[in-house]
Amino acid sequence: MKRALLIMAAVAAVSAPAMADQALAKAKNCMACHAVDKKLVGPSYQDVAKKYAGDAKAADMLAAKIIKGGSGVWGAIPMPANAQVNEAEAKKLAAWVLSLK
């Protein structure tokens, strides 16, 4: 019984930050155009993580794009600026996206 509780606690500790960041993405309306594992209007977050894996500057670049928007990287449809997101939230969202497998 103790072992099962320890395993459940470990799983909760590992998944809680990821779920919290996904909740932030939902709250800031990012999920209207993006999904974790499939393309919607924009690329999946997993595809973004793959594209920028190993790029030390990716987190800062993505945080800036979250706030200011961007175009041309994933096709013809531009990503609009998100005025709802502050700099700290953008950095948290970028780190979460880059952590996805």
Side-chain angles (χ1 to χ4, degrees):
M1 182 68 174
K2 285 183 183 181
R3 184 172 186 216
L5 289 175
L6 287 174
I7 291 171
M8 288 173 47
V11 168
V14 169
S15 64
M19 293 306 292
D21 295 329
Q22 186 169 358
L24 179 60
K26 286 179 184 177
K28 298 300 180 174
N29 210 26
C30 304
M31 304 300 274
C33 295
H34 298 279
V36 171
D37 59 351
K38 63 184 175 196
K39 180 183 180 348
L40 295 178
V41 175
S44 75
Y45 288 138
Q46 289 174 339
D47 287 343
V48 174
K50 285 178 194 171
K51 181 177 183 102
Y52 295 107
D55 183 344
K57 297 178 182 180
D60 289 336
M61 181 271 301
L62 290 175
K65 283 191 178 239
I66 291 167
I67 294 171
K68 297 176 186 174
S71 64
V73 177
W74 295 94
I77 299 173
M79 181 172 138
N82 192 334
Q84 299 179 43
V85 179
N86 65 40
E87 188 174 342
E89 292 167 334
K91 287 182 179 186
K92 186 175 184 180
L93 287 165
W96 170 66
V97 168
L98 291 170
S99 75
L100 298 172
K101 304 285 183 228

Coordinates of all heavy atoms in Angstrom, one line a residue:
M1 N 0.8 -1.2 0.0 CA 0.0 0.0 0.0 C 0.9 1.3 0.0 O 0.6 2.2 -0.7 CB -0.9 0.0 1.2 CG -1.9 1.1 1.3 SD -3.0 1.0 -0.1 CE -4.1 2.3 0.3
K2 N 1.9 1.3 0.8 CA 2.8 2.4 0.9 C 3.5 2.6 -0.4 O 3.7 3.7 -0.9 CB 3.9 2.3 2.0 CG 3.3 2.5 3.4 CD 4.4 2.4 4.4 CE 3.9 2.5 5.8 NZ 5.0 2.4 6.8
R3 N 3.9 1.5 -1.1 CA 4.6 1.6 -2.4 C 3.6 2.2 -3.4 O 4.0 3.1 -4.2 CB 5.0 0.2 -2.8 CG 5.8 0.3 -4.1 CD 6.4 -1.1 -4.4 NE 7.3 -0.9 -5.5 CZ 7.5 -1.8 -6.4 NH1 6.8 -3.0 -6.3 NH2 8.2 -1.6 -7.5
A4 N 2.4 1.8 -3.4 CA 1.4 2.4 -4.4 C 1.2 3.8 -4.2 O 1.1 4.6 -5.1 CB 0.1 1.6 -4.3
L5 N 1.2 4.3 -2.9 CA 1.0 5.7 -2.6 C 2.2 6.5 -3.0 O 2.1 7.6 -3.6 CB 0.7 5.9 -1.1 CG -0.6 5.4 -0.6 CD1 -0.7 5.6 0.9 CD2 -1.7 6.2 -1.3
L6 N 3.4 5.9 -2.9 CA 4.6 6.6 -3.3 C 4.7 6.7 -4.8 O 5.1 7.8 -5.3 CB 5.9 5.8 -2.8 CG 6.2 5.9 -1.3 CD1 7.3 5.0 -0.9 CD2 6.5 7.4 -0.9
I7 N 4.3 5.7 -5.5 CA 4.3 5.8 -7.0 C 3.3 6.8 -7.4 O 3.5 7.6 -8.3 CB 3.9 4.4 -7.6 CG1 5.1 3.4 -7.3 CG2 3.6 4.5 -9.0 CD1 4.9 2.0 -7.6
M8 N 2.1 6.8 -6.8 CA 1.1 7.8 -7.2 C 1.5 9.2 -6.9 O 1.3 10.1 -7.7 CB -0.3 7.5 -6.5 CG -1.0 6.3 -7.0 SD -2.4 5.8 -6.0 CE -3.3 7.3 -5.8
A9 N 2.2 9.4 -5.8 CA 2.7 10.7 -5.5 C 3.8 11.2 -6.4 O 3.9 12.3 -6.9 CB 3.3 10.7 -4.0
A10 N 4.7 10.2 -6.9 CA 5.7 10.6 -7.8 C 5.1 10.9 -9.2 O 5.6 11.9 -9.8 CB 6.7 9.4 -8.0
V11 N 4.1 10.2 -9.6 CA 3.5 10.5 -10.9 C 2.8 11.9 -10.8 O 2.9 12.7 -11.7 CB 2.5 9.4 -11.3 CG1 1.6 9.8 -12.4 CG2 3.2 8.1 -11.6
A12 N 2.1 12.2 -9.7 CA 1.5 13.5 -9.6 C 2.5 14.6 -9.6 O 2.3 15.6 -10.2 CB 0.7 13.5 -8.3
A13 N 3.6 14.4 -8.9 CA 4.7 15.4 -8.9 C 5.2 15.7 -10.2 O 5.5 16.8 -10.6 CB 5.7 15.0 -7.9
V14 N 5.4 14.7 -11.1 CA 6.0 14.8 -12.4 C 5.0 15.4 -13.3 O 5.3 16.3 -14.1 CB 6.5 13.5 -12.9 CG1 6.8 13.6 -14.4 CG2 7.7 13.0 -12.1
S15 N 3.7 15.0 -13.3 CA 2.7 15.5 -14.2 C 2.1 16.8 -13.8 O 1.5 17.5 -14.7 CB 1.7 14.4 -14.5 OG 0.9 14.2 -13.3
A16 N 2.1 17.2 -12.6 CA 1.4 18.4 -12.2 C 2.0 19.7 -12.8 O 1.2 20.5 -13.3 CB 1.5 18.5 -10.6
P17 N 3.3 19.9 -12.9 CA 3.8 21.1 -13.6 C 3.3 21.1 -15.1 O 3.0 22.1 -15.6 CB 5.3 21.0 -13.5 CG 5.5 20.1 -12.3 CD 4.4 19.1 -12.3
A18 N 3.4 19.9 -15.8 CA 3.0 19.9 -17.2 C 1.5 20.2 -17.3 O 1.1 21.0 -18.2 CB 3.3 18.5 -17.8
M19 N 0.7 19.7 -16.5 CA -0.7 20.0 -16.5 C -1.0 21.5 -16.2 O -1.9 22.1 -16.8 CB -1.5 19.1 -15.6 CG -1.5 17.6 -16.0 SD -2.0 17.3 -17.7 CE -3.7 17.7 -17.5
A20 N -0.2 22.0 -15.3 CA -0.4 23.4 -14.9 C -0.1 24.3 -16.1 O -0.8 25.3 -16.4 CB 0.4 23.8 -13.7
D21 N 0.9 24.0 -16.9 CA 1.3 24.8 -18.0 C 0.3 24.6 -19.2 O 0.1 25.5 -19.9 CB 2.7 24.5 -18.4 CG 3.7 24.9 -17.4 OD1 3.5 25.9 -16.7 OD2 4.8 24.2 -17.2
Q22 N -0.2 23.4 -19.3 CA -1.3 23.2 -20.3 C -2.5 24.0 -19.9 O -3.2 24.6 -20.7 CB -1.6 21.7 -20.4 CG -2.6 21.4 -21.5 CD -2.8 20.0 -21.9 OE1 -2.1 19.1 -21.3 NE2 -3.6 19.7 -22.8
A23 N -2.8 24.1 -18.6 CA -3.9 24.9 -18.1 C -3.7 26.3 -18.5 O -4.6 27.0 -18.8 CB -4.1 24.7 -16.6
L24 N -2.4 26.8 -18.3 CA -2.1 28.2 -18.7 C -2.3 28.4 -20.2 O -2.9 29.4 -20.6 CB -0.7 28.5 -18.3 CG -0.2 29.9 -18.6 CD1 -1.0 31.0 -17.9 CD2 1.3 30.1 -18.3
A25 N -1.9 27.4 -21.0 CA -2.1 27.6 -22.4 C -3.6 27.6 -22.8 O -4.0 28.4 -23.6 CB -1.5 26.4 -23.2
K26 N -4.4 26.9 -22.1 CA -5.9 26.9 -22.3 C -6.4 28.3 -21.8 O -7.2 28.9 -22.5 CB -6.6 25.8 -21.5 CG -6.4 24.4 -22.2 CD -7.1 23.4 -21.4 CE -6.8 22.0 -22.0 NZ -7.4 20.9 -21.2
A27 N -6.0 28.7 -20.7 CA -6.5 30.0 -20.1 C -6.1 31.2 -21.0 O -6.9 32.2 -21.1 CB -5.9 30.2 -18.7
K28 N -5.0 31.1 -21.7 CA -4.5 32.2 -22.5 C -5.0 32.0 -24.0 O -4.5 32.7 -24.9 CB -3.0 32.4 -22.4 CG -2.5 32.7 -21.0 CD -3.2 34.0 -20.5 CE -2.7 34.3 -19.1 NZ -3.1 35.7 -18.7
N29 N -5.8 31.1 -24.2 CA -6.4 30.8 -25.6 C -5.5 30.3 -26.6 O -5.7 30.4 -27.8 CB -7.1 32.1 -26.1 CG -8.3 31.8 -27.0 OD1 -8.9 30.8 -26.8 ND2 -8.6 32.7 -27.9
C30 N -4.3 29.8 -26.2 CA -3.4 29.2 -27.1 C -3.9 27.9 -27.8 O -3.6 27.6 -28.9 CB -2.1 28.8 -26.4 SG -1.3 30.2 -25.5
M31 N -4.7 27.2 -27.0 CA -5.2 25.9 -27.5 C -6.3 26.1 -28.6 O -6.8 25.1 -29.1 CB -5.8 25.1 -26.3 CG -4.7 24.8 -25.2 SD -3.3 24.0 -25.7 CE -3.8 22.3 -25.5
A32 N -6.7 27.3 -28.8 CA -7.7 27.5 -29.9 C -7.0 27.2 -31.3 O -7.7 26.8 -32.2 CB -8.1 29.0 -29.9
C33 N -5.7 27.4 -31.4 CA -5.0 27.2 -32.6 C -4.0 26.1 -32.5 O -3.5 25.6 -33.6 CB -4.3 28.5 -33.1 SG -5.4 29.8 -33.5
H34 N -3.6 25.6 -31.4 CA -2.6 24.6 -31.2 C -3.1 23.5 -30.3 O -4.0 23.7 -29.5 CB -1.3 25.2 -30.5 CG -0.7 26.3 -31.2 ND1 0.2 26.0 -32.2 CD2 -0.7 27.6 -31.1 CE1 0.7 27.2 -32.7 NE2 0.1 28.2 -32.0
A35 N -2.6 22.3 -30.5 CA -2.8 21.1 -29.7 C -1.5 20.5 -29.3 O -0.5 20.8 -30.0 CB -3.7 20.1 -30.4
V36 N -1.5 19.7 -28.3 CA -0.2 19.1 -27.9 C 0.3 18.1 -29.0 O 1.5 18.2 -29.3 CB -0.4 18.3 -26.5 CG1 0.8 17.5 -26.2 CG2 -0.7 19.3 -25.4
D37 N -0.6 17.3 -29.5 CA -0.1 16.2 -30.4 C -0.6 16.2 -31.8 O -0.4 15.3 -32.5 CB -0.5 14.9 -29.7 CG -2.0 14.8 -29.5 OD1 -2.7 15.7 -29.7 OD2 -2.4 13.7 -29.1
K38 N -1.3 17.3 -32.2 CA -1.8 17.3 -33.6 C -1.8 18.8 -34.1 O -2.0 19.7 -33.3 CB -3.1 16.6 -33.8 CG -4.2 17.3 -33.0 CD -5.5 16.6 -33.1 CE -6.6 17.2 -32.2 NZ -7.7 16.4 -31.9
K39 N -1.7 18.9 -35.4 CA -1.8 20.2 -36.0 C -3.2 20.7 -36.1 O -4.1 19.9 -36.4 CB -1.2 20.1 -37.5 CG -1.3 21.5 -38.2 CD -0.8 21.3 -39.6 CE -0.8 22.6 -40.4 NZ -1.5 23.8 -39.9
L40 N -3.4 21.9 -35.7 CA -4.8 22.5 -35.8 C -4.5 23.7 -36.8 O -4.1 23.4 -38.0 CB -5.3 23.0 -34.5 CG -5.6 22.0 -33.4 CD1 -6.1 22.6 -32.2 CD2 -6.6 21.0 -34.0
V41 N -4.8 24.9 -36.4 CA -4.4 26.0 -37.3 C -2.9 26.2 -37.3 O -2.3 26.4 -38.4 CB -5.1 27.3 -36.8 CG1 -4.6 28.5 -37.6 CG2 -6.6 27.2 -36.8
G42 N -2.3 26.0 -36.2 CA -0.8 26.1 -36.0 C -0.3 24.7 -35.8 O -1.0 23.7 -35.6
P43 N 1.0 24.6 -35.7 CA 1.7 23.3 -35.5 C 1.4 22.7 -34.1 O 1.0 23.5 -33.2 CB 3.2 23.6 -35.6 CG 3.3 25.0 -35.2 CD 2.0 25.7 -35.7
S44 N 1.5 21.4 -33.9 CA 1.4 20.8 -32.6 C 2.5 21.3 -31.7 O 3.6 21.6 -32.3 CB 1.3 19.3 -32.7 OG 2.6 18.8 -32.9
Y45 N 2.3 21.3 -30.5 CA 3.4 21.7 -29.6 C 4.5 20.6 -29.6 O 5.7 21.0 -29.5 CB 2.9 21.8 -28.1 CG 2.0 23.1 -28.0 CD1 0.8 23.0 -27.2 CD2 2.4 24.3 -28.5 CE1 0.1 24.2 -27.0 CE2 1.6 25.4 -28.3 CZ 0.5 25.4 -27.6 OH -0.3 26.5 -27.4
Q46 N 4.2 19.4 -29.8 CA 5.2 18.4 -30.0 C 6.1 18.6 -31.2 O 7.3 18.5 -31.1 CB 4.6 17.0 -30.0 CG 4.0 16.5 -28.7 CD 3.3 15.2 -28.8 OE1 2.9 14.8 -29.9 NE2 3.1 14.6 -27.7
D47 N 5.5 19.1 -32.3 CA 6.3 19.4 -33.5 C 7.2 20.6 -33.2 O 8.3 20.6 -33.7 CB 5.4 19.7 -34.7 CG 4.8 18.4 -35.2 OD1 5.2 17.3 -34.9 OD2 3.8 18.5 -36.0
V48 N 6.7 21.6 -32.5 CA 7.5 22.7 -32.2 C 8.7 22.3 -31.3 O 9.9 22.7 -31.5 CB 6.7 23.8 -31.4 CG1 7.6 24.9 -30.9 CG2 5.6 24.3 -32.3
A49 N 8.5 21.4 -30.3 CA 9.5 20.9 -29.4 C 10.6 20.2 -30.3 O 11.8 20.3 -30.0 CB 8.9 20.0 -28.4
K50 N 10.1 19.4 -31.2 CA 11.1 18.6 -32.1 C 11.9 19.6 -32.9 O 13.1 19.4 -33.1 CB 10.3 17.7 -33.0 CG 9.8 16.4 -32.3 CD 9.0 15.6 -33.3 CE 8.2 14.5 -32.6 NZ 7.3 13.8 -33.5
K51 N 11.3 20.6 -33.5 CA 12.0 21.5 -34.4 C 13.1 22.3 -33.7 O 14.2 22.5 -34.2 CB 11.0 22.5 -35.0 CG 11.6 23.5 -35.9 CD 10.6 24.4 -36.6 CE 11.2 25.3 -37.5 NZ 11.0 25.0 -38.9
Y52 N 12.8 22.6 -32.4 CA 13.8 23.4 -31.7 C 14.6 22.7 -30.6 O 15.3 23.3 -29.8 CB 13.0 24.6 -31.0 CG 12.5 25.5 -32.1 CD1 11.1 25.6 -32.3 CD2 13.3 26.3 -32.9 CE1 10.6 26.4 -33.3 CE2 12.8 27.2 -33.9 CZ 11.4 27.2 -34.1 OH 10.9 28.0 -35.0
A53 N 14.5 21.4 -30.6 CA 15.3 20.5 -29.7 C 16.8 20.9 -29.8 O 17.3 20.9 -30.9 CB 15.0 19.1 -29.9
G54 N 17.4 21.1 -28.7 CA 18.8 21.4 -28.7 C 19.2 22.8 -29.0 O 20.4 23.2 -29.0
D55 N 18.2 23.7 -29.3 CA 18.5 25.1 -29.6 C 18.5 25.9 -28.3 O 17.4 26.1 -27.7 CB 17.5 25.6 -30.6 CG 17.7 27.1 -31.1 OD1 18.5 27.8 -30.4 OD2 17.1 27.5 -32.1
A56 N 19.6 26.4 -27.9 CA 19.7 27.1 -26.6 C 18.9 28.4 -26.6 O 18.5 28.9 -25.6 CB 21.2 27.4 -26.3
K57 N 18.7 29.0 -27.8 CA 18.0 30.3 -27.9 C 16.5 30.1 -28.1 O 15.7 31.1 -28.2 CB 18.6 31.1 -29.0 CG 20.0 31.5 -28.8 CD 20.5 32.2 -29.9 CE 22.0 32.6 -29.7 NZ 22.6 33.3 -30.8
A58 N 16.0 28.8 -28.2 CA 14.6 28.6 -28.6 C 13.6 29.1 -27.6 O 12.6 29.7 -28.0 CB 14.4 27.1 -28.8
A59 N 13.9 29.0 -26.3 CA 12.9 29.4 -25.3 C 12.7 30.9 -25.4 O 11.5 31.3 -25.3 CB 13.4 29.0 -23.9
D60 N 13.7 31.7 -25.5 CA 13.5 33.1 -25.5 C 12.9 33.5 -26.9 O 12.0 34.4 -26.9 CB 14.9 33.8 -25.4 CG 15.5 33.7 -24.0 OD1 14.7 33.6 -23.1 OD2 16.7 33.8 -23.9
M61 N 13.2 32.9 -28.0 CA 12.6 33.2 -29.2 C 11.1 32.8 -29.2 O 10.3 33.6 -29.7 CB 13.4 32.4 -30.3 CG 12.8 32.6 -31.8 SD 11.5 31.5 -32.3 CE 12.2 29.9 -32.1
L62 N 10.8 31.6 -28.7 CA 9.4 31.3 -28.7 C 8.6 32.2 -27.7 O 7.4 32.5 -28.0 CB 9.2 29.8 -28.2 CG 9.7 28.8 -29.3 CD1 9.6 27.4 -28.7 CD2 8.9 28.8 -30.5
A63 N 9.2 32.5 -26.6 CA 8.4 33.5 -25.7 C 8.1 34.8 -26.4 O 7.0 35.3 -26.2 CB 9.3 33.7 -24.4
A64 N 9.1 35.3 -27.1 CA 8.9 36.5 -27.9 C 7.8 36.3 -28.9 O 6.9 37.2 -29.1 CB 10.2 37.0 -28.5
K65 N 7.8 35.2 -29.6 CA 6.7 35.0 -30.6 C 5.3 34.8 -30.0 O 4.3 35.2 -30.6 CB 7.1 33.7 -31.5 CG 8.1 34.0 -32.5 CD 8.2 32.8 -33.5 CE 9.3 33.2 -34.5 NZ 8.7 33.2 -35.8
I66 N 5.3 34.2 -28.8 CA 4.0 34.1 -28.1 C 3.4 35.5 -27.9 O 2.2 35.7 -28.1 CB 4.2 33.3 -26.8 CG1 4.5 31.9 -27.1 CG2 2.9 33.5 -25.9 CD1 5.0 31.0 -25.9
I67 N 4.3 36.4 -27.5 CA 3.8 37.8 -27.2 C 3.5 38.6 -28.4 O 2.5 39.2 -28.6 CB 4.8 38.5 -26.2 CG1 4.8 37.8 -24.9 CG2 4.4 40.0 -26.1 CD1 5.9 38.3 -24.0
K68 N 4.5 38.6 -29.4 CA 4.5 39.5 -30.5 C 3.8 38.8 -31.8 O 3.5 39.6 -32.7 CB 5.9 39.9 -30.9 CG 6.5 40.7 -29.8 CD 8.0 41.0 -30.1 CE 8.7 41.7 -29.0 NZ 10.1 41.9 -29.2
G69 N 3.7 37.5 -31.8 CA 3.3 36.8 -33.0 C 4.4 36.6 -33.9 O 5.6 36.9 -33.7
G70 N 4.1 36.0 -35.1 CA 5.1 35.7 -36.0 C 4.5 35.1 -37.3 O 3.3 34.8 -37.4
S71 N 5.4 34.9 -38.3 CA 4.9 34.3 -39.6 C 6.0 33.7 -40.3 O 7.2 34.0 -40.1 CB 4.2 35.4 -40.4 OG 5.2 36.4 -40.8
G72 N 5.7 32.8 -41.3 CA 6.6 32.3 -42.2 C 7.4 31.0 -41.8 O 8.0 30.4 -42.6
V73 N 7.3 30.7 -40.5 CA 8.1 29.5 -40.0 C 7.3 28.2 -40.3 O 7.9 27.2 -40.7 CB 8.4 29.7 -38.5 CG1 9.1 28.5 -38.0 CG2 9.3 30.9 -38.3
W74 N 6.0 28.3 -40.1 CA 5.2 27.1 -40.2 C 4.2 27.1 -41.3 O 3.2 26.4 -41.3 CB 4.4 26.8 -38.8 CG 5.4 26.5 -37.7 CD1 5.9 27.4 -36.8 CD2 5.9 25.3 -37.4 NE1 6.7 26.8 -36.0 CE2 6.8 25.4 -36.3 CE3 5.8 24.0 -37.9 CZ2 7.5 24.4 -35.7 CZ3 6.5 22.9 -37.3 CH2 7.3 23.1 -36.2
G75 N 4.3 28.0 -42.2 CA 3.4 28.1 -43.3 C 2.9 29.5 -43.5 O 3.4 30.5 -42.9
A76 N 1.9 29.7 -44.3 CA 1.3 31.0 -44.7 C 0.5 31.7 -43.6 O 0.3 32.9 -43.6 CB 0.5 30.9 -46.0
I77 N -0.1 30.9 -42.7 CA -1.0 31.5 -41.7 C -0.1 32.1 -40.6 O 0.6 31.3 -39.9 CB -1.9 30.4 -41.1 CG1 -2.8 29.9 -42.3 CG2 -2.8 31.0 -40.0 CD1 -3.7 28.7 -41.9
P78 N -0.2 33.4 -40.3 CA 0.6 34.0 -39.3 C 0.0 33.7 -37.9 O -1.2 33.5 -37.7 CB 0.5 35.5 -39.6 CG -0.8 35.6 -40.3 CD -1.0 34.4 -41.1
M79 N 0.9 33.7 -36.9 CA 0.5 33.6 -35.5 C 0.3 35.0 -35.0 O 1.2 35.8 -35.0 CB 1.5 32.8 -34.7 CG 1.1 32.7 -33.2 SD 2.3 31.6 -32.4 CE 2.4 32.5 -30.9
P80 N -0.9 35.3 -34.5 CA -1.2 36.7 -34.0 C -0.5 36.9 -32.7 O -0.2 35.9 -31.9 CB -2.7 36.8 -33.9 CG -3.1 35.3 -33.7 CD -2.1 34.5 -34.5
A81 N -0.3 38.1 -32.4 CA 0.3 38.5 -31.0 C -0.8 38.1 -30.0 O -2.0 38.1 -30.2 CB 0.5 40.0 -31.0
N82 N -0.3 37.8 -28.8 CA -1.2 37.4 -27.7 C -1.0 38.4 -26.6 O -0.1 38.3 -25.7 CB -0.9 36.0 -27.2 CG -2.0 35.5 -26.3 OD1 -2.7 36.3 -25.6 ND2 -2.2 34.2 -26.2
A83 N -1.9 39.5 -26.6 CA -1.8 40.5 -25.6 C -2.2 40.0 -24.2 O -1.9 40.7 -23.2 CB -2.7 41.7 -26.0
Q84 N -2.8 38.9 -24.1 CA -3.2 38.3 -22.8 C -2.0 37.8 -22.0 O -2.1 37.5 -20.8 CB -4.2 37.2 -23.0 CG -5.5 37.5 -23.6 CD -6.3 36.3 -23.8 OE1 -6.4 35.5 -22.8 NE2 -6.9 36.1 -24.9
V85 N -0.9 37.5 -22.6 CA 0.2 36.8 -22.0 C 1.3 37.8 -21.7 O 1.8 38.6 -22.5 CB 0.8 35.8 -23.0 CG1 2.0 35.1 -22.4 CG2 -0.3 34.8 -23.4
N86 N 1.8 37.8 -20.4 CA 2.9 38.6 -20.0 C 4.2 37.9 -20.2 O 4.2 36.7 -20.6 CB 2.8 39.1 -18.6 CG 2.8 38.0 -17.5 OD1 3.6 37.1 -17.6 ND2 2.0 38.1 -16.5
E87 N 5.3 38.6 -20.0 CA 6.6 38.0 -20.3 C 6.9 36.7 -19.5 O 7.4 35.7 -20.0 CB 7.7 39.0 -20.1 CG 9.1 38.5 -20.5 CD 10.2 39.5 -20.4 OE1 9.9 40.7 -20.3 OE2 11.4 39.2 -20.4
A88 N 6.6 36.7 -18.2 CA 6.8 35.5 -17.4 C 6.0 34.3 -17.8 O 6.4 33.2 -17.9 CB 6.5 35.9 -15.9
E89 N 4.7 34.6 -18.2 CA 3.8 33.5 -18.7 C 4.3 33.0 -20.0 O 4.3 31.8 -20.3 CB 2.4 34.1 -18.8 CG 1.7 34.4 -17.5 CD 0.5 35.2 -17.7 OE1 0.3 35.9 -18.6 OE2 -0.4 35.0 -16.8
A90 N 4.8 33.9 -20.9 CA 5.3 33.5 -22.2 C 6.5 32.6 -22.0 O 6.7 31.6 -22.7 CB 5.7 34.7 -23.0
K91 N 7.4 32.9 -21.1 CA 8.6 32.1 -20.8 C 8.2 30.7 -20.3 O 8.8 29.7 -20.6 CB 9.5 32.8 -19.9 CG 10.3 33.9 -20.5 CD 11.3 34.6 -19.6 CE 12.0 35.7 -20.4 NZ 13.0 36.3 -19.6
K92 N 7.2 30.7 -19.4 CA 6.7 29.5 -18.8 C 6.1 28.6 -19.9 O 6.3 27.4 -20.0 CB 5.7 29.8 -17.7 CG 5.2 28.6 -17.0 CD 4.3 29.0 -15.8 CE 3.9 27.8 -15.0 NZ 3.0 28.1 -13.9
L93 N 5.3 29.2 -20.8 CA 4.7 28.4 -21.9 C 5.7 27.9 -22.8 O 5.6 26.8 -23.3 CB 3.7 29.3 -22.6 CG 2.4 29.6 -21.9 CD1 1.6 30.8 -22.6 CD2 1.5 28.4 -21.8
A94 N 6.7 28.7 -23.2 CA 7.8 28.3 -24.1 C 8.5 27.1 -23.5 O 8.8 26.1 -24.2 CB 8.7 29.4 -24.4
A95 N 8.9 27.2 -22.2 CA 9.6 26.1 -21.5 C 8.8 24.8 -21.5 O 9.3 23.7 -21.8 CB 10.0 26.5 -20.1
W96 N 7.5 25.0 -21.3 CA 6.6 23.8 -21.3 C 6.5 23.2 -22.7 O 6.7 22.0 -22.9 CB 5.2 24.2 -20.9 CG 4.1 23.1 -21.1 CD1 4.1 21.9 -20.5 CD2 3.1 23.2 -22.0 NE1 3.0 21.2 -21.0 CE2 2.4 21.9 -21.9 CE3 2.6 24.1 -22.9 CZ2 1.2 21.6 -22.6 CZ3 1.5 23.8 -23.6 CH2 0.8 22.6 -23.5
V97 N 6.3 24.0 -23.7 CA 6.3 23.5 -25.1 C 7.6 22.7 -25.4 O 7.5 21.6 -26.0 CB 6.0 24.6 -26.1 CG1 6.3 24.1 -27.5 CG2 4.6 25.2 -26.0
L98 N 8.7 23.3 -25.1 CA 10.0 22.7 -25.4 C 10.2 21.4 -24.6 O 11.0 20.6 -25.0 CB 11.1 23.7 -25.2 CG 11.1 24.8 -26.2 CD1 12.1 25.9 -25.8 CD2 11.4 24.3 -27.6
S99 N 9.5 21.2 -23.5 CA 9.7 20.0 -22.7 C 8.9 18.8 -23.2 O 9.1 17.7 -22.8 CB 9.3 20.3 -21.3 OG 7.8 20.3 -21.1
L100 N 8.0 19.0 -24.2 CA 7.1 18.0 -24.7 C 7.9 17.0 -25.6 O 8.8 17.4 -26.3 CB 5.9 18.6 -25.4 CG 5.0 19.4 -24.6 CD1 4.0 20.1 -25.4 CD2 4.4 18.6 -23.5
K101 N 7.5 15.8 -25.6 CA 8.2 14.7 -26.4 C 7.2 14.3 -27.4 O 6.1 14.2 -27.3 CB 8.6 13.6 -25.5 CG 9.5 13.9 -24.4 CD 10.9 14.2 -24.9 CE 11.8 14.5 -23.7 NZ 12.6 15.6 -23.8

